[in-house]
Amino acid sequence: MSFRILILTLAFVFISSCKDQPNEITEIIEVEEIPNVNSKSLNGTWELVSFYNYKDNVVVDSFDTSSNSRQLKMYTDSKVMWCKHKPADSSEWFGYGTYNFKDNTLTEVLDFGSAVMDNVISEKKQFKFELQLQPNQFQQIELDDDGNRIYSENYKRIE
Protein backbone atom coordinates (compact mmCIF):
# COMPACT_ATOMS: atom_id res chain seq x y z
CA MET A 1 0.00 0.00 0.00
CA SER A 2 1.44 3.38 -0.94
CA PHE A 3 2.15 5.94 1.77
CA ARG A 4 -0.31 8.49 0.28
CA ILE A 5 -3.16 5.97 0.36
CA LEU A 6 -2.29 5.05 3.93
CA ILE A 7 -2.24 8.71 5.03
CA LEU A 8 -5.52 9.42 3.25
CA THR A 9 -7.04 6.34 4.89
CA LEU A 10 -5.85 7.48 8.33
CA ALA A 11 -7.21 10.98 7.70
CA PHE A 12 -10.57 9.49 6.68
CA VAL A 13 -10.64 7.36 9.84
CA PHE A 14 -9.95 10.41 12.02
CA ILE A 15 -12.55 12.53 10.24
CA SER A 16 -15.20 9.80 10.17
CA SER A 17 -14.84 9.33 13.91
CA CYS A 18 -15.90 12.94 14.44
CA LYS A 19 -19.39 14.37 14.51
CA ASP A 20 -20.32 16.73 11.69
CA GLN A 21 -20.63 20.48 12.18
CA PRO A 22 -22.97 21.87 9.47
CA ASN A 23 -21.10 24.58 7.52
CA GLU A 24 -19.86 26.24 10.68
CA ILE A 25 -16.22 27.09 11.23
CA THR A 26 -15.46 27.12 14.94
CA GLU A 27 -12.56 28.48 16.93
CA ILE A 28 -10.43 26.09 18.93
CA ILE A 29 -12.29 25.49 22.18
CA GLU A 30 -11.37 27.91 24.97
CA VAL A 31 -9.16 26.34 27.58
CA GLU A 32 -8.58 27.17 31.20
CA GLU A 33 -5.49 29.19 31.99
CA ILE A 34 -2.81 26.84 33.23
CA PRO A 35 -0.25 28.69 35.34
CA ASN A 36 3.51 28.61 34.73
CA VAL A 37 3.23 27.46 31.12
CA ASN A 38 6.04 28.32 28.72
CA SER A 39 4.28 29.36 25.50
CA LYS A 40 7.32 28.27 23.47
CA SER A 41 7.21 24.71 24.79
CA LEU A 42 5.13 21.70 23.87
CA ASN A 43 6.04 20.02 27.17
CA GLY A 44 2.91 18.67 28.80
CA THR A 45 -0.21 16.68 28.02
CA TRP A 46 -2.55 17.71 25.23
CA GLU A 47 -5.99 16.48 24.15
CA LEU A 48 -7.31 16.51 20.59
CA VAL A 49 -10.45 18.67 20.48
CA SER A 50 -11.18 19.30 16.79
CA PHE A 51 -10.09 19.10 13.16
CA TYR A 52 -9.98 21.66 10.35
CA ASN A 53 -10.11 20.89 6.63
CA TYR A 54 -8.47 23.39 4.28
CA LYS A 55 -8.98 24.40 0.68
CA ASP A 56 -6.61 26.93 -0.88
CA ASN A 57 -5.00 27.29 2.59
CA VAL A 58 -8.28 28.50 4.14
CA VAL A 59 -10.35 26.58 6.69
CA VAL A 60 -13.47 25.37 4.87
CA ASP A 61 -14.82 22.89 7.40
CA SER A 62 -14.34 21.93 11.02
CA PHE A 63 -15.25 18.95 13.16
CA ASP A 64 -15.22 18.49 16.90
CA THR A 65 -13.91 15.19 18.18
CA SER A 66 -16.40 12.48 18.95
CA SER A 67 -17.34 11.70 22.53
CA ASN A 68 -16.77 8.04 21.60
CA SER A 69 -13.00 8.41 21.31
CA ARG A 70 -10.15 10.30 22.91
CA GLN A 71 -6.69 11.15 21.61
CA LEU A 72 -3.84 12.47 23.77
CA LYS A 73 -0.28 13.60 23.09
CA MET A 74 2.42 13.91 25.71
CA TYR A 75 5.65 15.82 25.14
CA THR A 76 8.78 15.95 27.30
CA ASP A 77 11.91 17.91 26.41
CA SER A 78 12.70 15.53 23.53
CA LYS A 79 10.15 12.68 23.45
CA VAL A 80 6.59 12.40 22.15
CA MET A 81 3.98 9.74 22.73
CA TRP A 82 0.42 9.76 21.52
CA CYS A 83 -2.47 7.40 21.99
CA LYS A 84 -6.02 7.12 20.77
CA HIS A 85 -8.72 5.41 22.78
CA LYS A 86 -11.81 4.30 20.90
CA PRO A 87 -13.73 1.73 22.97
CA ALA A 88 -15.87 0.52 20.06
CA ASP A 89 -12.76 -0.28 18.01
CA SER A 90 -10.57 -3.22 18.95
CA SER A 91 -7.53 -1.84 17.15
CA GLU A 92 -4.97 -0.01 19.18
CA TRP A 93 -3.46 3.33 18.19
CA PHE A 94 -0.27 4.74 19.66
CA GLY A 95 3.17 5.93 18.65
CA TYR A 96 6.40 6.84 20.42
CA GLY A 97 9.52 8.69 19.32
CA THR A 98 11.37 11.98 19.34
CA TYR A 99 10.36 15.43 18.16
CA ASN A 100 11.62 18.93 17.63
CA PHE A 101 10.15 22.15 16.44
CA LYS A 102 11.77 25.17 14.90
CA ASP A 103 10.44 28.06 12.86
CA ASN A 104 6.82 26.85 13.20
CA THR A 105 7.67 23.36 11.93
CA LEU A 106 7.01 20.32 14.13
CA THR A 107 8.92 17.17 13.21
CA GLU A 108 8.09 13.89 14.90
CA VAL A 109 10.26 10.80 14.29
CA LEU A 110 8.47 7.70 15.51
CA ASP A 111 10.51 4.75 16.77
CA PHE A 112 7.63 2.33 17.29
CA GLY A 113 3.89 2.14 17.80
CA SER A 114 0.87 -0.10 17.79
CA ALA A 115 0.58 -2.78 15.10
CA VAL A 116 -1.26 -0.36 12.80
CA MET A 117 1.30 2.39 13.35
CA ASP A 118 4.26 0.04 12.96
CA ASN A 119 3.01 -0.59 9.41
CA VAL A 120 2.99 3.17 8.78
CA ILE A 121 6.40 3.63 10.46
CA SER A 122 7.93 0.89 8.31
CA GLU A 123 7.26 3.12 5.28
CA LYS A 124 7.87 6.50 6.87
CA LYS A 125 9.22 7.36 10.32
CA GLN A 126 9.36 11.15 10.07
CA PHE A 127 6.26 13.33 10.08
CA LYS A 128 6.45 17.10 9.49
CA PHE A 129 3.71 19.56 10.29
CA GLU A 130 3.20 23.30 10.37
CA LEU A 131 2.84 24.17 14.06
CA GLN A 132 0.80 27.04 15.44
CA LEU A 133 1.61 27.05 19.16
CA GLN A 134 -0.12 29.15 21.83
CA PRO A 135 0.27 28.73 25.59
CA ASN A 136 -2.64 26.30 26.01
CA GLN A 137 -3.48 25.13 22.50
CA PHE A 138 -1.81 24.18 19.26
CA GLN A 139 -2.63 23.23 15.70
CA GLN A 140 -0.66 20.52 13.92
CA ILE A 141 -1.26 21.20 10.23
CA GLU A 142 -0.65 18.59 7.50
CA LEU A 143 0.81 20.07 4.30
CA ASP A 144 0.79 18.62 0.79
CA ASP A 145 3.93 18.31 -1.36
CA ASP A 146 3.49 21.93 -2.54
CA GLY A 147 3.25 23.29 1.01
CA ASN A 148 -0.52 23.83 0.94
CA ARG A 149 -2.55 23.11 4.06
CA ILE A 150 -4.73 19.95 3.94
CA TYR A 151 -6.09 19.46 7.46
CA SER A 152 -5.18 20.13 11.06
CA GLU A 153 -5.52 18.42 14.38
CA ASN A 154 -6.30 20.97 17.10
CA TYR A 155 -5.21 20.28 20.67
CA LYS A 156 -5.78 21.90 24.07
CA ARG A 157 -3.39 21.61 26.98
CA ILE A 158 -4.77 19.53 29.86
CA GLU A 159 -1.60 19.50 31.96
Side-chain angles (χ1 to χ4, degrees):
M1 180 182 323
S2 79
F3 180 71
R4 283 189 192 272
I5 293 172
L6 187 55
I7 291 298
L8 289 174
T9 302
L10 287 173
F12 177 74
V13 168
F14 287 133
I15 291 169
S16 67
S17 69
C18 301
K19 64 181 183 180
D20 293 331
Q21 295 286 325
N23 297 328
E24 182 180 314
I25 306 303
T26 59
E27 295 283 324
I28 292 180
I29 174 174
E30 283 190 38
V31 294
E32 297 176 22
E33 193 63 31
I34 299 174
N36 302 321
V37 171
N38 177 350
S39 64
K40 300 294 182 190
S41 173
L42 281 170
N43 286 14
T45 304
W46 303 81
E47 183 167 6
L48 180 65
V49 294
S50 65
F51 300 91
Y52 291 163
N53 287 320
Y54 291 85
K55 182 175 182 180
D56 299 323
N57 291 314
V58 175
V59 175
V60 294
D61 205 1
S62 68
F63 304 89
D64 289 335
T65 56
S66 169
S67 61
N68 296 330
S69 68
R70 191 170 186 198
Q71 182 167 314
L72 301 172
K73 278 193 161 190
M74 297 177 77
Y75 291 93
T76 67
D77 288 339
S78 63
K79 302 292 184 183
V80 60
M81 184 164 186
W82 66 268
C83 62
K84 181 175 183 176
H85 178 65
K86 190 173 180 183
D89 186 351
S90 63
S91 64
E92 53 181 329
W93 290 88
F94 73 88
Y96 171 82
T98 59
Y99 80 96
N100 66 59
F101 75 94
K102 183 178 180 181
D103 300 327
N104 297 326
T105 299
L106 170 64
T107 304
E108 295 179 353
V109 180
L110 297 181
D111 295 327
F112 65 88
S114 59
V116 174
M117 282 308 300
D118 275 345
N119 288 332
V120 174
I121 294 167
S122 71
E123 290 191 32
K124 181 179 179 183
K125 292 180 63 127
Q126 181 173 292
F127 300 87
K128 281 191 172 185
F129 306 97
E130 177 183 333
L131 179 69
Q132 294 184 358
L133 176 61
Q134 297 165 4
N136 293 319
Q137 61 189 25
F138 77 87
Q139 289 177 278
Q140 167 183 306
I141 305 168
E142 177 79 20
L143 304 174
D144 67 16
D145 291 338
D146 296 323
N148 298 306
R149 293 174 174 170
I150 302 170
Y151 74 93
S152 71
E153 293 181 352
N154 308 313
Y155 290 85
K156 71 175 182 177
R157 185 185 298 273
I158 59 175
E159 181 178 58

